[in-house]
Amino acid sequence: MSQDRGSAMAEDLAARERLAELEKENADIKARLAVLESIVTDSSYELDQRIRKLS
């Protein structure tokens, strides 16, 4: 029974670590999306600057 509990705790820890990774990835994607959205709507000067920043 303690093996089951230990296994469940290990799975919980792995799930929490994966959740943290996915949350960071999601935040990175949101930031990139914000830049891309602003590129679509910005003037040509700022457009050039933001495109360079993405490279």
Side-chain angles (χ1 to χ4, degrees):
M1 186 127 11
S2 65
Q3 271 186 326
D4 290 341
R5 187 169 185 203
S7 177
M9 289 177 68
E11 286 179 18
D12 185 51
L13 178 60
R16 289 178 189 267
E17 289 173 351
R18 181 66 179 139
L19 177 61
E21 290 171 7
L22 291 172
E23 286 174 338
K24 182 184 181 326
E25 184 179 334
N26 191 41
D28 293 345
I29 290 169
K30 283 182 178 181
R32 188 168 175 89
L33 178 60
V35 171
L36 291 172
E37 286 175 341
S38 65
I39 287 172
V40 170
T41 59
D42 274 347
S43 68
S44 63
Y45 172 76
E46 289 192 28
L47 173 66
D48 183 56
Q49 294 302 314
R50 291 176 189 258
I51 289 172
R52 289 173 195 240
K53 201 176 189 182
L54 287 174
S55 301

